[in-house]
Amino acid sequence: MARVKRGAKRRARRAKYLKQAKGYWGAKSSNYRIAKEAVEKSLLYAYRDRRNKKRDFRRLWIIRVKAASEENGLSYSRFINGLKKLHIDLDRKVLADLAVHFPSAFAALVQKVKAASA
């Protein structure tokens, strides 16, 4: 069987990892073995945190909507339940944006929900 030395292929693969590790501290940016571990770990963190970011933003939106609805005299759960009963399909992102940038429009929504529940 023929001997395989992998000259160019190996160099290209190692260069790819070292390029991704550019800017890392110490041996993580220059030593291939350590750089490979650091890059693979950072890719795992990036994958995980792309999912966690969605959770974090949803939590933030819920906190903002809760604060604004309680400011207008209605609990968060009653507000969301009232919106569902009225068939007002606004997601939490839009509700949070209304609460922060257009408080009068948000207050009108709360009044609608209050009137429907009374």
Side-chain angles (χ1 to χ4, degrees):
M1 201 167 203
R3 178 176 172 214
V4 179
K5 296 200 310 185
R6 293 192 181 90
K9 275 271 197 211
R10 177 186 291 168
R11 215 172 319 120
R13 185 172 59 244
R14 289 179 178 220
K16 183 180 75 171
Y17 274 106
L18 290 171
K19 184 179 177 189
Q20 284 180 305
K22 204 172 196 178
Y24 288 8
W25 190 82
K28 288 181 182 180
S29 65
S30 55
N31 185 321
Y32 169 71
R33 186 182 294 178
I34 296 170
K36 183 177 182 222
E37 289 175 4
V39 166
E40 287 176 351
K41 190 69 168 176
S42 67
L43 290 172
L44 284 173
Y45 285 143
Y47 177 83
R48 180 197 68 190
D49 291 337
R50 279 194 299 276
R51 275 124 197 95
N52 287 355
K53 185 168 77 169
K54 293 163 185 54
R55 294 179 213 162
D56 292 343
F57 269 103
R58 184 179 168 92
R59 286 173 65 192
L60 175 68
W61 298 330
I62 288 172
I63 289 167
R64 287 180 175 173
V65 171
K66 177 181 174 10
S69 62
E70 287 180 353
E71 199 173 272
N72 287 295
L74 199 62
S75 73
Y76 171 78
S77 59
R78 290 184 196 277
F79 176 63
I80 295 294
N81 187 38
L83 288 177
K84 285 184 180 170
K85 284 182 180 174
L86 290 171
H87 302 291
I88 299 174
D89 296 327
L90 294 175
D91 61 6
R92 283 155 182 83
K93 180 180 180 179
V94 172
L95 288 171
D97 192 52
L98 279 175
V100 171
H101 296 104
F102 306 101
S104 57
F106 189 85
L109 272 177
V110 173
Q111 293 308 317
K112 260 191 179 179
V113 169
K114 279 183 178 177
S117 65

